[in-house]
Amino acid sequence: MTNIVLFGKPGAGKGTQAEFLKGKYNLTHLSTGDIFRFNIKNETELGKLAQTYINNGGLVPDEVTIKMLQSEVENNPDSAGFLFDGFPRTIAQAEALDAFLATKNEKITATVALEADDEILVARLLERGKTSGRADDQDEEKIRNRYQEYNEKTAPLIGFYKEQNKFHAVNGIGSIAEITERLSNVIDNL
Ligand SMILES: Nc1ncnc2c1ncn2[C@@H]1O[C@H](COP(=O)(O)OP(=O)(O)O)[C@@H](O)[C@H]1O
């Protein structure tokens, strides 16, 4: 099984690239952001719980997110591998993911990060907010909050995966196709 974590700040292009990579490598794409948004739209219990955190640019509590992610993996027993997008976002999530995969004799193969400058990304998110309908993309203060959450809670994962020799970064600025190629070069050489 190949299990890839697609890593990057809000707006780095994870969802866009995941669309290409999942087909190319036959991976099951699990986007925690998409799953939360689906649940919010359908007004499920999970959606109601996650909504306030998401709309304010905060993170959904680990306990909720980890449980949800595990059930998504369990729901895909025949998968040839997973592409995790937006997960893990905290050290606790990363540790829970390792422990969970270990129970299946599986592990994370690699983490691939899309790198881009904060100011470029904030501008991208505000632009996306004009059409995405996402409340968390429309307000600069909420966007700044997401970067603060990233810096405090998610950035420490870089060290976590570097220690395991699993961290690979690519330049996230360029055309979509160029970036897919950079990511593919990393994945092909794993
Ligand atoms: N792993 C996670 N842990 C906690 N909250 C999450 C996680 N993944 C997504 N969320 C919530 O969903 C929001 C949107 O996620 P996503 O679409 O991945 O955002 P982005 O475009 O910022 O990368 C996050 O700001 C957060 O509130």
Side-chain angles (χ1 to χ4, degrees):
M1 231 179 175
T2 304
N3 295 307
I4 307 277
V5 174
L6 195 54
F7 188 85
K9 292 173 186 168
K14 301 184 292 290
T16 304
Q17 292 301 328
E19 286 304 314
F20 293 99
L21 297 176
K22 69 177 185 191
K24 185 162 180 186
Y25 296 100
N26 189 25
L27 302 174
T28 306
H29 176 208
L30 292 185
S31 159
T32 42
D34 286 350
I35 299 165
F36 283 133
R37 281 187 288 277
F38 176 85
N39 279 278
I40 291 171
K41 200 170 134 217
N42 291 291
E43 298 179 4
T44 67
E45 283 308 310
L46 175 66
K48 284 178 204 158
L49 199 97
Q51 188 161 28
T52 325
Y53 297 101
I54 294 186
N55 286 351
N56 291 322
L59 291 185
V60 178
D62 281 338
E63 205 187 278
V64 176
T65 309
I66 290 165
K67 223 170 99 191
M68 175 188 87
L69 194 280
Q70 290 182 350
S71 73
E72 291 289 331
V73 171
E74 301 286 9
N75 284 341
N76 287 282
D78 301 325
S79 176
F82 291 90
L83 183 59
F84 297 105
D85 161 6
F87 186 95
R89 253 180 164 94
T90 65
I91 296 276
Q93 290 180 12
E95 287 172 346
L97 180 59
D98 282 350
F100 173 64
L101 290 176
T103 66
K104 305 189 168 305
N105 288 322
E106 290 296 338
K107 56 182 169 43
I108 293 298
T109 313
T111 294
V112 194
L114 289 167
E115 292 188 328
D117 190 74
D118 282 15
E119 292 312 311
I120 295 178
L121 295 180
V122 172
R124 266 195 205 172
L125 289 181
L126 283 168
E127 199 51 42
R128 182 170 83 183
K130 291 179 189 166
T131 53
S132 71
R134 283 178 54 171
D136 60 342
D137 281 349
Q138 289 171 24
D139 176 324
E140 184 148 354
E141 201 182 308
K142 289 174 185 170
I143 292 177
R144 298 272 169 207
N145 199 31
R146 283 156 71 191
Y147 282 87
Q148 199 176 327
E149 289 280 79
Y150 172 88
N151 288 328
E152 277 173 26
K153 298 177 183 166
T154 308
L157 290 175
I158 299 171
F160 179 89
Y161 286 116
K162 275 188 177 165
E163 269 172 29
Q164 300 185 28
N165 286 321
K166 288 184 179 170
F167 190 81
H168 306 263
V170 308
N171 178 1
I173 303 296
S175 71
I176 292 175
E178 274 166 357
I179 297 167
T180 308
E181 191 171 333
R182 288 176 201 151
L183 292 168
S184 301
N185 281 337
V186 172
I187 296 171
D188 290 340
N189 288 303
L190 288 174

